[in-house]
Amino acid sequence: SSNAAMNEPERITSPYAPDLGEVRAFLERMIRGLRFIELVRAVLSFVTRACEINGELSKKLAYLRRGRPRSEVLARLQRQLPLFGSSVAPVAKETKPAAEAKKSRKGRHPGRAAPPAHLERVEHPNPVPPEMRICPLCGTEMSTVGHSRCEILNVVPAKVFVEVRIDERVACPKDDMIVSAPTPPAIVERGKLGDTLIIEATCDKYLEHQPVERQCVRFARMGIDVAPQTLGRGVTAHIDLLEPIAKLIAELTGGPGLLGTDATGLPVLDPKVTDGIRTGAMWCWTNARWVAFDYSPSADSNSVRRFLKDDLLRTVQCDGTNTLTFLERAGGKRPGCWSHGRRGLADTARAGDLTALQGLKKIAGIFAVERQSALAGDNAEQRQRRRQEFTRPILDDLRQWLDEQRGVIPPKTTLGRALGYLHRQWRRLVLFLEDGNIEATNNRRERELRRLILGRKNWLFTWLDDGGKRVAAILSIIATCIAHDVNPRAYLHLVTKLVVEGWPNKQLRELLPDRIVAQHPELDAGHHPPALPP
């Protein structure tokens, strides 16, 4: 080892951030000492390492600049490998059993699906023009013999109108007593905008990801002047009105059950910071069909503790972040995510590495078992038995392959880092074998966060930490509605009306999506009211 140290070229400067001062001092020192051979070796070593780093960075930059996210599906990765000159056997296409094979439509018109039966039918007569009612053969006027119906799905564009409220005043004929009709409650008292318009603006922003400014531009095209500040204050007042419902959803999400979480950044406008923008953290928590978003100025462990409170003996599924390590020290469990576990291998295989492809094929067996379980409709106990029978042998084989590859693959290579992630997270990745309620991946939390990410790309940032908390509140309500198969737009209209009219706080639980559908079945996303008579 001493000889190896003597043969090691002397370090000139950091290849990641070269310091010209260090380079100049090194050259002067070597020239004064007439150590030209060592100088050449050191320079060659430095240039070689710099080229390696530059190559890695170029690959990362090309990956980030790709036109669209590349699929991580195993079959598609295999089809990409020949582009790198790798000899890979062609991917066999799945063949369906003869019983499941689709019947040919040749010779049969596939037809056109009828519009939904529950929609109102508005009839528009289409009579034969007078000049066409004369028989071209004998000149006799033809009479009606029947009609054919053609149903076309159409829409009535949104209509903006001015609601004129006429407040009555009454006076006593015997004295000077005058009484005026009380002002109906509203989201914004004595405001310019009506409740329905404000609710629609909230839905458009957080369901359809349309910023308030863009909505105001749409009004301007209709000849209506609505200032973004006015509409924004209305949306803010609406979310504040519904905040108690969001808090109750967060309490139920943090209750007993299997928790899952993930976080993403949220740009926050803050005049007090240097650049005017800082990054907060938005945590997404799920527990069965309850979804809660929780904003925090930073994504530290304290933000997780605030949500969990003193109940740390929990099972919380997440990715490989170190933020939740304290949970394990307190006696809790944090199952890992196999989608994250295979992602490093997928990136390496996409670059043409066949060894990474071997690992991906082994991990594919885990997802195949989960797919069979879902198709079979397994409950938690059945899913656990299926995993013990089919998934455990796959994991044993994968663990053996992992140990073999880590012995020969340098840890600082792309493949080495992917293998290192699997090794470090292994005890967390196999926890799903113990409980059928634990999912194999953390994908559900990523899907829930996608709603925020799509909106963030449009409205860009929020105002101070209060804005982040409001975003968390409204997203909690919307996501929980969707998880309970409740139409979120219809829900917000109904619940806002009830709260504005003075719904008692003691009965707030009855307004949550899991209970309100019993009294209002029209909120069910799969419910269709009876068809109207023609």
Side-chain angles (χ1 to χ4, degrees), residues 158-163 186-188 191-206 210-212 215-220 222 224-239 489 492-493 496-497:
K159 180 181 179 181
V160 182
F161 61 94
V162 178
E163 180 180 318
I187 296 176
V188 179
K192 173 184 177 181
L193 307 178
D195 288 357
T196 302
L197 190 148
I198 292 175
I199 297 169
E200 283 293 301
T202 303
C203 294
D204 285 346
K205 178 172 181 178
Y206 294 104
Q210 295 181 5
V212 167
Q215 297 182 44
C216 292
V217 171
R218 185 180 64 201
F219 285 126
M222 303 167 66
I224 304 167
D225 183 18
V226 178
Q229 297 86 344
T230 303
L231 187 57
R233 282 194 292 266
V235 171
T236 297
H238 182 209
I239 298 175
R489 189 180 291 266
L492 288 175
H493 276 282
T496 302
K497 181 176 182 291

Side-chain angles (χ1 to χ4, degrees), residues 274-347:
T274 304
D275 296 328
I277 300 178
R278 56 182 171 83
T279 302
M282 185 68 79
W283 289 90
C284 175
W285 295 85
T286 64
N287 188 345
R289 301 179 78 177
W290 298 101
V291 185
F293 285 80
D294 185 54
Y295 171 80
S296 175
S298 61
D300 56 5
S301 58
N302 290 330
S303 59
V304 179
R305 291 177 186 270
R306 282 194 297 270
F307 184 85
L308 296 176
K309 299 177 182 178
D310 297 329
D311 189 9
L312 300 182
L313 295 176
R314 302 292 300 270
T315 298
V316 181
Q317 187 160 25
C318 60
D319 53 25
T321 177
N322 293 326
T323 307
L324 275 77
T325 305
F326 73 92
L327 197 68
E328 295 171 313
R329 292 196 294 265
K333 296 180 180 179
R334 42 168 298 190
C337 171
W338 275 104
S339 287
H340 284 80
R342 74 185 294 278
R343 191 156 296 163
L345 294 177
D347 291 339

Side-chain angles (χ1 to χ4, degrees), residues 387-405:
R387 288 171 177 173
Q388 291 291 339
E389 181 179 358
F390 298 105
T391 306
R392 184 174 287 281
I394 296 173
L395 291 175
D396 292 341
D397 179 53
L398 179 63
R399 181 73 243 193
Q400 181 180 357
W401 175 85
L402 177 62
D403 292 337
E404 292 173 357
Q405 299 304 321

Side-chain angles (χ1 to χ4, degrees), residues 455-499:
R456 184 181 64 190
K457 289 181 178 179
N458 287 273
W459 37 260
L460 300 181
F461 28 64
T462 186
W463 176 255
L464 299 178
D465 292 332
D466 289 341
K469 294 176 182 177
R470 290 189 179 98
V471 172
I474 190 63
L475 289 182
S476 297
I477 297 173
I478 290 174
T480 300
C481 283
I482 295 174
H484 282 86
D485 297 322
V486 170
N487 184 333
R489 189 180 291 266
Y491 175 87
L492 288 175
H493 276 282
L494 174 63
V495 169
T496 302
K497 181 176 182 291
L498 295 175
V499 173

Side-chain angles (χ1 to χ4, degrees), residues 22-40:
E22 292 182 2
V23 174
R24 185 179 295 107
F26 174 81
L27 293 175
E28 292 176 352
R29 186 173 67 256
M30 299 298 282
I31 292 173
R32 281 198 303 269
L34 301 178
R35 300 163 59 187
F36 298 109
I37 296 178
E38 296 177 27
L39 172 61
V40 172

